Amino acid sequence: KTVLTTNFKETLSPVFFTFDNKNVYAQSNLGRDKTAFIIFDLETGEEVEELFKHEEVDVGGLYYSKKRKVLTAASFTTAKRNRHFFDDETKQLFERLEIDLGDYEIGISSSSKNEDKFIIRTYSDRSRGSYYFFDKTTDKLEKIHDISPWLNEDDMAAMLPIKYQSRDGLTINGYLTLPVGYTMETAKDLPAVINPHGGPWARDNWGFNPEVQFLANQGYAVLQMNFRGSTGYGREFLEK
């Protein structure tokens, strides 16, 4: 049967079933500007509970423990990716990984069924990152492989989160990449490339971008903006 009908401006996207198999966890902007994670009742076609939302941006991914049958975390992206933890055990795992890998973005690629061994992926704006093996029982973290070992991250340019006001007062978020050796204070009169993202259902994110790094290496400042209509900043921003 038809559970719910939406238009193209509305979102209700099931993520996975609740652990009692009765309802679904879903991403929704129904009745709100920013998408939130909710519990949705398939029988009534109504929202049961709001689990997590962020005031500035749409939510991203929702994660769970298959072994313990609990929600673990929700991700969202402001200038960089962030996590809201539902679960102390998962929060402590990431806090442990950040001791050794805190200079990079950290993601869990996979885990053992017992959830005590993990494949970890890192990356940053200046590095495509590495894969690691982490044994939670022995507290041992071991590098498996660098993604692009031929790239020296010290030669790469930093991607700086910025924001500015449009002529009609709208806040536009973006990223400015300057050639190595320049700072926001010393970067004067540089040639610049304005590099809008494609899409239209897209936004730029913080991370390694080979095109941007190439241009910065050639002496250009590179400005990427999440212009009005970019995704991730709510329905009102998208519709503008």
Side-chain angles (χ1 to χ4, degrees):
K1 66 176 183 179
T2 300
V3 176
L4 181 75
T5 301
T6 62
N7 62 47
F8 75 96
K9 298 178 181 180
E10 296 174 327
T11 295
L12 191 133
S13 179
V15 184
F16 48 85
F17 281 93
T18 53
F19 301 110
D20 60 10
N21 240 19
K22 293 180 180 179
N23 300 316
V24 291
Y25 296 112
Q27 187 184 70
S28 173
N29 71 352
L30 301 183
R32 50 177 65 84
D33 179 58
K34 310 293 191 299
T35 60
F37 284 122
I38 66 165
I39 296 176
F40 184 75
D41 188 325
L42 294 173
E43 284 295 324
T44 64
E46 295 179 350
E47 178 179 324
V48 177
E49 179 186 349
E50 182 180 271
L51 296 170
F52 174 72
K53 68 177 180 179
H54 192 273
E55 295 300 321
E56 297 177 24
V57 293
D58 297 330
V59 292
L62 187 65
Y63 307 95
Y64 67 99
S65 164
K66 184 177 289 188
K67 175 187 175 183
R68 295 182 290 121
K69 294 187 168 45
V70 295
L71 292 178
T72 55
S75 66
F76 59 96
T77 301
T78 50
K80 298 181 181 180
R81 186 173 67 171
N82 302 276
R83 291 179 181 86
H84 168 82
F85 292 102
F86 299 104
D87 173 58
D88 286 340
E89 189 171 323
T90 304
K91 182 179 180 182
Q92 290 166 9
L93 172 62
F94 276 90
E95 288 174 346
R96 164 62 188 91
L97 294 171
E98 285 172 358
I99 294 173
D100 291 330
L101 305 173
D103 292 337
Y104 300 89
E105 291 285 318
I106 300 169
I108 297 176
S109 294
S110 64
S111 70
S112 61
K113 287 184 178 180
N114 199 40
E115 298 181 0
D116 59 351
K117 297 177 176 63
F118 302 89
I119 301 295
I120 308 298
R121 168 74 191 269
T122 64
Y123 70 90
S124 75
D125 56 340
R126 299 187 300 130
S127 169
R128 293 190 65 214
S130 306
Y131 281 105
Y132 293 83
F133 175 76
F134 179 65
D135 189 321
K136 186 177 178 181
T137 305
T138 62
D139 194 42
K140 183 179 180 181
L141 180 70
E142 180 182 359
K143 181 183 283 189
I144 300 172
H145 186 65
D146 292 322
I147 306 300
S148 296
W150 54 87
L151 292 175
N152 182 355
E153 63 184 278
D154 292 334
D155 295 334
M156 302 295 131
M159 191 177 188
L160 307 172
I162 61 160
K163 61 177 60 179
Y164 59 91
Q165 297 296 119
S166 66
R167 284 173 294 182
D168 57 353
L170 193 64
T171 298
I172 306 294
N173 291 273
Y175 302 94
L176 177 65
T177 302
L178 301 171
V180 174
Y182 285 92
T183 65
M184 295 283 278
E185 290 73 29
T186 62
K188 306 294 182 184
D189 301 320
L190 284 172
V193 173
I194 311 302
N195 191 351
H197 63 74
W201 311 112
R203 61 157 285 181
D204 273 320
N205 293 283
W206 187 86
F208 188 84
N209 184 314
E211 180 181 277
V212 171
Q213 290 296 335
F214 172 77
L215 291 168
N217 179 265
Q218 301 303 302
Y220 292 95
V222 184
L223 176 64
Q224 299 166 273
M225 73 291 287
N226 286 317
F227 47 83
R228 69 187 69 216
S230 298
T231 58
Y233 296 95
R235 178 174 169 174
E236 182 180 348
F237 189 84
L238 183 69
E239 290 182 18
K240 285 181 181 294

